[in-house]
Amino acid sequence: MTTMSDKQARVESVMRLAPVIPVVIIDDARHAVPMARALVAGGIRAIEVTLRTQAALDAIRAIAAEVEDAVVGVGTVLAAGDLAAAERAGARFAVSPGVSPGLLDAADDSALPLLPGAATASEAMALLERGYRHLKFFPAVPAGGVRLLGAWASPLPQLRFCPTGGIGLASAPDFLALPNVLCVGGSWLTPADRLAAGDWAGIELLAREAAVLKRSV
């Protein structure tokens, strides 16, 4: 059985692949492979495909099978069934907006590493008790943004975060400058209009801009 330590190491490796993990909402699975290739060409290898559309699992399956350099994960994981379906589709990591006891129990039994969401210090502490050292801070900007996350660095030095929610290219450097942030998540790399238009060159350009962002850790 995969240990929590092993799964946390795998999550950390994903978070360190690039300064930004794109959060993708995909309506047409046929767009998945060219989109992923554009992101990888721009220097972004970790890709979170959210379970917000019917096309999501097919998109994950296609990226896992056809884009060798991509590390595809699943987002908006809410329940045990989501973890199981994503693992079958070939996802290599999972991300949740928050947590529930049932989801954490399922994650304990799954080989798929989970990046769980937390929005308060109490939630972060509860996840720390369960062995999690790498968390998603969500929704980052509405929950308190840079000031709140920076304030956690001293009392919760064991934790590293991927803040997501309301972050764009202009604000990402403020989060990446924090000592407890390894990467940020954002949807600006794969906007709906560019996906619908098949503007893969435009998505590659957005990826290139994100890949060169500086981080402190």
Side-chain angles (χ1 to χ4, degrees):
M1 182 176 177
T2 308
T3 67
M4 174 62 82
S5 178
D6 291 338
K7 286 187 279 192
Q8 287 294 286
R10 287 161 57 195
V11 167
E12 181 177 0
S13 70
V14 169
M15 294 171 73
R16 290 189 180 279
L17 284 174
V20 181
I21 296 177
V23 179
V24 181
I25 301 172
I26 192 161
D27 292 305
D28 188 340
R30 293 173 299 179
H31 292 160
V33 168
M35 174 206 67
R37 287 176 176 158
L39 290 170
V40 170
I44 301 294
R45 293 182 57 209
I47 304 168
E48 176 190 337
V49 177
T50 64
L51 292 179
R52 302 181 196 179
T53 69
Q54 294 293 323
L57 288 172
D58 286 338
I60 291 167
R61 194 173 293 110
I63 294 169
E66 299 183 44
V67 189
E68 183 177 357
D69 291 331
V71 180
V72 64
V74 58
T76 320
V77 171
L78 304 179
D82 296 336
L83 280 176
E87 189 172 4
R88 288 194 300 269
R92 293 167 63 180
F93 65 97
V95 185
S96 62
V99 292
S100 67
L103 178 59
L104 291 177
D105 289 344
D108 286 343
D109 294 333
S110 173
L112 197 62
L114 176 67
L115 179 66
T120 68
S122 295
E123 291 170 355
M125 289 171 60
L127 286 165
L128 184 60
E129 282 189 353
R130 296 283 300 240
Y132 289 90
R133 300 291 187 272
H134 301 87
L135 311 181
K136 173 180 178 175
F137 175 49
F138 178 82
V141 173
V146 171
R147 291 184 64 185
L148 179 60
L149 192 54
W152 289 355
S154 181
L156 297 169
Q158 311 96 321
L159 297 178
R160 295 294 180 269
F161 292 90
C162 174
T164 306
I167 300 172
L169 182 64
S171 58
D174 296 331
F175 285 94
L176 292 168
L178 296 175
N180 55 350
V181 170
L182 294 184
C183 63
V184 302
S187 59
W188 83 87
L189 278 72
T190 55
D193 57 346
R194 298 204 180 192
L195 283 172
D199 183 6
W200 314 127
I203 288 176
E204 181 179 339
L205 178 60
L206 293 173
R208 289 188 184 280
E209 292 174 338
V212 297
L213 292 172
K214 304 299 182 183
R215 45 188 168 183
S216 65
V217 290

